[in-house]
Amino acid sequence: MAKLNFGGVEETVITREEFPLEKAREILKDETIAVIGYGVQGPGQSMNLRDNGFNVIVGQRQGKTYDKAVADGWKPGETLFSIEEACEKATIIMCLLSDAAVMSVWPKMKQYLTAGKALYFSHGFAITWNDRTGVVPPKDIDVIMVAPKGSGTSLRTMFLEGRGLNSSFAIYQDYTGRAVERTIALGIGIGSGYLFETTFQREATSDLTGERGSLMGAIQGLLLAQYEVLRENGHSPSEAFNETVEELTQSLMPLFAEKGMDWMYANCSTTAQRGALDWMTPFHDAIKPVVEKLYASVKCGNEAQISIDSNSQPDYRDKLNEELRQLRESEMWQTAVTVRKLRPENN
């Protein structure tokens, strides 16, 4: 494990160079890895493990998702089983169910967590707020986590491209004394670019804050606010969308993702430079109190409880689909449909 300096702060990081795939295979050569759940993270993690030569099976209930697993090459009775059968066969149980599904399946899963097994998560939610979820693991197992910093689709796509998606890792419980090596081996096996250390609690709070903040919630709110102001002042949908979303995602994001915000500032017009430098502070000052309020709501468990309560409602899926329909059919994102068709690669 290397100690790297990030802006003056030292962190533990594991790269594929210092922990190669061959080492990961050797560590897990006698393990049977069961991926439970085939929704968001399950396909990417399980197929990457399979392609990397690990002994992996999938546990999934019958239905459309089960059929997807079959289409992806998992064979019923050989590498595809019910959740209970897969848990029984496994020495490492990778729990990749949604947070709501974990709570409903936990009573069945727990009985297969016999001494020495490992229980793996890709999110700290169920363990961090186990006073609300009821997910309290036995004391005689390893409880570990590898959390890819992106969707399972991205994990798979980048793997097929020969790249890796960065992941965090954490140890909640080390019963066997092998929890760390098991965790790192799994992180390399699923295709992580590099792994950085965290805790279940820190991962859960940062993840929920990020999803509600800059990654999803805040970015939609910011984009919509600017789009609305432009439209209310006579700008066309195309102009408002291009100045708000298209230039950001297609031109600027790749630049500051590769070389940093300072480099992007240095390589834009002097007018843009001055405006960005002048206005970043008012935006920061306006937004930080909202982020502080958000973080407090996450840390105290309020956001977890809201998620648990809403996901347990029988009509949750219908309500969600209606909210997503309204978002999809809003003027800004309907404009996006037309703009995407006009991109050079689509013509």
Side-chain angles (χ1 to χ4, degrees), residues 62-214:
Q62 291 284 343
K64 290 182 179 179
T65 309
Y66 185 96
D67 295 339
K68 181 183 185 310
V70 173
D72 286 340
W74 301 100
K75 300 183 183 302
E78 295 181 22
T79 55
L80 178 59
F81 303 92
S82 68
I83 290 175
E84 293 83 357
E85 286 179 289
C87 287
E88 185 175 21
K89 292 175 182 294
T91 58
I92 298 174
I93 297 174
M94 297 177 68
C95 183
L96 299 181
L97 297 158
S98 68
D99 296 322
V102 172
M103 290 186 289
S104 64
V105 172
W106 178 247
K108 296 178 181 179
M109 184 183 297
K110 187 176 180 179
Q111 63 184 305
Y112 299 105
L113 290 169
T114 52
K117 287 192 176 186
L119 175 62
Y120 166 111
F121 292 93
S122 281
H123 188 16
F125 187 103
I127 294 293
T128 298
W129 293 292
N130 59 16
D131 58 328
R132 301 165 189 262
T133 64
V135 180
V136 180
K139 297 294 185 183
D140 57 358
I141 65 168
D142 293 342
V143 183
I144 61 181
M145 176 175 66
V146 177
K149 298 300 103 181
S151 70
T153 301
S154 298
L155 182 73
R156 181 62 176 168
T157 300
M158 293 174 74
F159 175 84
L160 293 174
E161 293 173 350
R163 300 187 293 147
L165 185 65
N166 301 330
S167 303
S168 60
F169 75 94
I171 312 299
Y172 179 77
Q173 195 166 278
D174 184 4
Y175 173 77
T176 65
R178 297 181 55 240
V180 173
E181 67 175 15
R182 278 171 140 179
T183 304
I184 303 306
L186 287 165
I188 297 299
I190 67 170
S192 300
Y194 70 80
L195 297 116
F196 61 94
E197 193 172 19
T198 187
T199 67
F200 273 66
Q201 191 271 342
R202 291 207 309 266
E203 191 283 332
T205 51
S206 61
D207 187 76
L208 264 66
T209 300
E211 290 168 346
R212 286 150 179 77
S214 64

